[in-house]
Amino acid sequence: MPMRMDDFARLLDTHGADPARWPPETVPAARALLEASAPARALLERARILDEALRDSLPGPSPEALARMRAGVAQAVARAPLPAATAGGGVLHWLRPWLPAGCGALITLAACGFWLSSAPQPAPDDTLGAPRVLAMMDTHE
Amino acid sequence: MLNALTLSTRPLSAWEAPIAERSTPAPGTEAPLARDLAGAEDATLLGWAAAGDRRAFDQLAVRHLPLLYRVALRITGRPAEAEEVAQEAMLRLWQNAAKFDPTRAQLGSWLYRITANLAIDRTRRTRFQPLAEAEAAPDPAPGPEAVLDARQRRALLAAALQELPPRQRAALALSYDQGLSGAEAAAALSISTRALEGLLRRARHFLSARLRGEEE
């Protein structure tokens, strides 16, 4: 199916002038249009100019800039802790923003209090058991 | 010499294995200083870095910093900010080195995404500064593009880039400057391929018109 001019313009606007970047299924129709149409060739030339201008407009980092960045990363990494596989871990990781500092100690304190209050109290008789038994033994003798 | 001969002919103890039978360390388990950093793949270097090998991470920085700088420079337009963004992206990688799973994501794509997002955030806080020809931008009067020499074209382009939204600049940076496929660039920007194509189309259409001296 032949390619229309507006489809070709859209192709260039999306992928640029390099046919290597065009979707493979569009290449044969685009090439056929280029052979047959001077306006299509003008569009391609216009896209090529933009590609070239874009390519020329972006310098890479100078060796000095690259050295600065590398040193900056090395310094930051030297100060940073080792990578952690699980930062905080599981539920605690998600709860952390909502938990105030010291809440762990409070929870532990509350648990101890609950445990002490719920533990079975020794019967009053048991606290004086041994002397009473001794006294009873004395009476039998 | 005599000692050496004596040692070499000494019978092996029960716990010693002959040299031929001694196992060589598996890749990655050798001493950090003996590692072939230059020849290692990114995933291997990242694994070593996750275990605390800062030299391996430095090798990753050498490989990726120039690319990240160019992405950040296209989006921010400021060399100083581009340097900071590239370094920040690498630091994020260090912090996440142990959690990064190379089987689920490509390191380059992950870094591009972080860099693009950092750079876009910066441009929202500060005004975009066009590249080298910012100060020398001529009056974009209409004229045949054949007359424009390369210097004028760059100046026109720099002025036009200033007006593009940051996400369109990011799309240009990833698709054209870095040559990522549509799917990769879209994933890095967390958008669909169709949305990426829309960004590219609008950006190129605008830039092309400005190069011809037309107002959009």
Side-chain angles (χ1 to χ4, degrees):
Chain A
M1 183 176 175
M3 180 177 275
R4 296 182 313 182
M5 272 301 280
D6 54 344
D7 290 333
F8 184 63
R10 177 177 280 255
L11 176 74
L12 295 177
D13 279 343
T14 306
H15 301 285
D18 184 4
R21 293 189 55 82
W22 297 347
E25 66 275 11
T26 64
V27 173
R31 287 198 186 283
L33 179 66
L34 279 170
E35 282 183 15
S37 167
R41 289 194 290 274
L43 272 185
L44 181 69
E45 180 58 23
R46 192 178 289 174
R48 192 171 286 142
I49 288 172
L50 177 58
D51 282 356
E52 192 182 315
L54 278 172
R55 199 167 42 246
D56 292 346
S57 69
L58 190 65
S62 65
E64 295 79 17
L66 193 55
R68 266 197 311 274
M69 287 190 286
R70 187 179 175 188
V73 169
Q75 283 179 6
V77 162
R79 286 195 298 267
L82 290 178
T86 52
V91 176
L92 280 179
H93 174 67
W94 294 104
L95 287 178
R96 182 70 260 176
W98 290 280
L99 293 178
C103 65
L106 278 176
I107 291 172
T108 307
L109 194 63
C112 288
F114 176 76
W115 178 73
L116 286 173
S117 62
S118 63
Q121 297 290 327
D125 288 347
D126 292 343
T127 55
L128 301 173
R132 288 183 72 181
V133 169
L134 287 174
M136 289 172 66
M137 289 172 67
D138 287 344
T139 54
H140 284 297
E141 287 173 2
Chain B
M1 185 66 181
L2 182 62
N3 284 344
L5 286 173
T6 307
L7 283 174
S8 66
T9 55
R10 177 177 63 83
L12 296 175
S13 303
W15 54 270
E16 290 177 299
I19 288 177
E21 296 174 12
R22 289 177 193 169
S23 60
T24 54
T29 60
E30 66 271 22
L33 288 176
R35 289 171 175 164
D36 177 18
L37 300 179
E41 293 184 355
D42 281 358
T44 307
L45 289 172
L46 193 59
W48 290 339
D53 187 345
R54 289 179 166 87
R55 288 175 62 251
F57 193 77
D58 178 61
Q59 184 66 32
L60 279 175
V62 168
R63 286 184 193 175
H64 291 278
L65 275 173
L67 306 176
L68 303 184
Y69 171 86
R70 284 165 59 87
V71 171
L73 182 61
R74 173 66 82 202
I75 299 171
T76 65
R78 299 171 189 265
E81 286 206 29
E83 284 187 28
E84 290 177 11
V85 166
Q87 291 176 69
E88 175 66 23
M90 289 305 298
L91 188 57
R92 297 272 179 99
L93 177 61
W94 170 261
Q95 291 162 346
N96 291 280
K99 286 178 268 186
F100 189 85
D101 183 359
T103 61
R104 298 179 62 184
Q106 284 196 334
L107 179 59
S109 300
W110 188 88
L111 278 170
Y112 286 139
R113 184 170 70 243
I114 298 293
T115 305
N117 286 333
L118 287 171
I120 289 171
D121 285 347
R122 285 205 176 220
T123 55
R124 285 174 179 154
R125 291 199 299 266
T126 57
R127 194 163 175 272
F128 176 77
Q129 178 73 28
L131 300 177
E133 284 74 22
E135 295 79 15
D139 180 20
E145 59 196 26
V147 177
L148 296 172
D149 62 11
R151 185 186 176 94
Q152 284 177 312
R153 268 207 304 270
R154 282 201 298 272
L156 279 176
L157 186 70
L161 279 167
Q162 183 179 9
E163 298 179 43
L164 284 183
R167 292 182 72 79
Q168 290 185 21
R169 291 200 294 268
L172 288 174
L174 297 176
S175 292
Y176 293 115
D177 301 333
Q178 301 304 318
L180 298 189
S181 70
E184 289 171 329
L189 292 175
S190 303
I191 56 177
S192 67
T193 309
R194 194 178 181 84
L196 174 83
E197 289 178 359
L199 289 175
L200 289 174
R201 202 160 44 241
R202 287 194 294 277
R204 285 187 65 98
H205 203 67
F206 179 82
L207 295 177
S208 187
R210 283 304 177 90
L211 279 185
R212 293 195 305 274
E214 298 171 0
E215 291 289 335
E216 273 287 294

